[in-house]
Amino acid sequence: MLQHLRPAILMIALFTALTGILYPLAVTGIAQVAFPRQANGSLVELNGKVIGSSIMGQSFSGERYFHGRPSATVGPDPKDATKTVDTPYNAASSAGSNYGPTSKALNERMREAVEQRKSENGAQRVPTDLVTASGSGLDPHISPEAALFQVPRVAKARNMPEDRLRQLVGEHTEGRLLGILGEPRVNVLALNLALDGTVRR
Amino acid sequence: MTINGWIQIAIYFAVLTALVVPLGRFMARVFAGERTFLTPVLKPVETLIYRLSGVDEAREQHWLTYTIAMLAFNAAGFLAVYAILRLQAVLPLNPADMSAVAPDLAFNTAVSFATNTNWQNYGGESTMSYLSQMAALTTQNFVSAATGIALVLALIRGFARASMQTVGNFWVDMTRSTLYVLLPLSFLCALFLVWQGVPQNLGAYVDATTLEGATQSLSQGPAASQIAIKQLGTNGGGFWNANSSVPYENPTPLTNFVEMLYILLISAALTHTFGRMVKDERQGWAIYAAMSVIFLAGVVVTYWAESAGNPLFAALGLDPANMEGKEVRFGIANSSLWAVATTAASNGSVNAMHDSFTPLGGMIPIILMQLGEIVYGGVGSGLYGMLLLVVIAMFVAGLMVGRTPEYLGKKIEAKEVKMAILAVVVLPLMILGFTAISVVAPFSLSSVQDPGPHGFSEILYLFTSQTANNGSAFAGFTGNTLWYNTTGGLSMLVGRYFVIIPAMAIAGSLVEKKLLPASAGTFPTHGGLFVGLLVGVILIIGGLTFFPALALGPVVEHLAMLAKSVF
């Protein structure tokens, strides 16, 4: 055993230097030069202030905006740091709900969400992605159906023609890559930014 | 289920299969010490590593020496991780001011990463400093994977060589795996991931003011470099808590495809490396075929179950397709495919929350892990696990005709069969043993999130995942307690080393045997009959062992779900 200790310790030290320090630093160096925007989190700035990341979801609840999916992330309770409270779209603590399929808590949460979405948007068939929590709690996307579902509400709140909003949703719908990979989707932050831009114009 | 979903699955399988030969051939050359296109760049580094650590490249080892070297190396790795995690508060590269990791959590995490499990009882962005992510965890992602490859090389040499004493040199096999295979492939993937949007920086977390005026803290870090190797090395430990479902970790359908490909890439290609090393490529393809049959069957069931979805959703007037815990950009097909790939391998990264899968959709991952992760499996560990089952399958075939079984010209005798059985019984011992204790003890039941049969599935999943060195979880469960950190750590250790040591003993026994020429009575091991026998033996062993436990969890829950019961 003893004659193996020297190579074991030295090898761990060498591989820590090579794969644990040099490799990530080399990737960081190249990435910062070649893809600085992505490497630093794809941040979106508005009037010089960071308002989020173009690939991370953020919470929308006002009636003037399209809403994202429910998020199950939590954060520390401001009143008592040992406890956690619901903090949707907490990008420093990603999580899904992890409720099982026969969970009573899941069923009740979804029932309430369905009722709320119906009352906000008029009683139509609610798209499933609007009442199910994403895996990360940070899903930046909703399905095109979920965006179109919200058009009447946003149109009313902003006093805009529904057709104009449907067109905007269409413009912000990303298809599958090469028509094959992934699923059609709408980036909620990008859509809402465009919405604000449209209004200002 | 949609046509498009099936096309995506078919493309994935086609690309994976197409890469088996080029990568398998490349690895065979590397491990034989032959010249490749990377030799001019990497050979000087390789030589330097041997010189600095005092290893004689040309000196081969007996199986026992090889195993002890591996154990010493893994022990040193465990201690290094433990030390860094405990000291991270005073070490550099800690912009988010993470405090030291608690002793039991540091123990569990160090075992977890040294055994290639990457079970995570912590959330990366809320626990680990950048230095811990890099120097402790990324390093183990490389070397634990390289350890797996080294071990399977030793076992293959047991079959390929005749009348010899040595099975290779652990230090050389491990170093070559890391330098020539893992490092270049990770480097390419990491840069690709950054291009697609995965962060790679050492900066502080960014506070954004959202459009509605709330503050959102965006966690950052050297993520792409770690994500590339955690996929490639079947480690699976996420940079962020929710792993590859987090957009920063897996931003687009294209990154999803590549990350998913990396899960199975090396393990699939190693079957071809095996075929080349035993000088009969058909042997490698037979193993690949047996793996693929089980894999594709798993994909069909999970994709069907998740698409058919949850009748409780339908009762609320919704489309029942199960989107709880899944991301819109991946949808049902890619989430199902990933779940099967990550548990077929010992990867354990997730792009959707397995805890929220339908009962049958979530049962397939449990079964794949309980079969021993031999469907492609972990890097190296999948193939040596599979070869142990081949030994058992050949033993069964031998019993049927009353003839001493042979495989690849080597007689399979009592010693080999005993060792293979020893490795196979370790899984149920740890999985069923600890699950049984945990479902009756009050201190362990408080960790369960969901009452009813799903709660049982959560505990079963935990010990299955840790013993099989997978690392995925039914994550609603609170695993970060003294009981689960300790028993889980123990399961990971036993699940790894009590398979490795018997496998190495088989390697040592086989390498000394003479090579028998094939005769008319030799059972050919490259045809459909062998593939069928092997799949049958795998399913019978797994089924007999675990069906009762599965009946209590996923099966009962499925029936309850159909009856629209909630718990």
Side-chain angles (χ1 to χ4, degrees), chain B residues 31 66 148-158 167 173 177 273 277:
Chain B
F31 301 140
Y66 196 102
I149 297 178
L151 291 163
V152 80
L153 292 176
L155 182 56
I156 296 173
R157 290 189 190 113
V167 294
D173 288 338
S177 303
T273 309
M277 286 174 73

Side-chain angles (χ1 to χ4, degrees), chain B residues 242-310:
Chain B
N243 213 298
S244 280
S245 72
V246 177
Y248 265 170
E249 192 147 340
N250 190 5
T252 64
L254 190 60
T255 57
N256 190 66
F257 185 85
V258 171
E259 288 185 19
M260 208 157 52
L261 191 65
Y262 263 49
I263 293 178
L264 296 182
L265 184 60
I266 292 183
S267 301
L270 274 172
T271 60
H272 186 70
T273 309
F274 163 71
R276 285 189 167 254
M277 286 174 73
V278 299
K279 301 201 169 52
D280 183 357
E281 292 174 21
R282 296 172 308 173
Q283 304 292 342
W285 285 116
I287 302 262
Y288 185 76
M291 292 171 165
S292 300
V293 167
I294 302 176
F295 175 71
L296 293 174
V299 173
V300 169
V301 174
T302 296
Y303 186 32
W304 164 77
E306 293 308 295
S307 304
N310 192 334

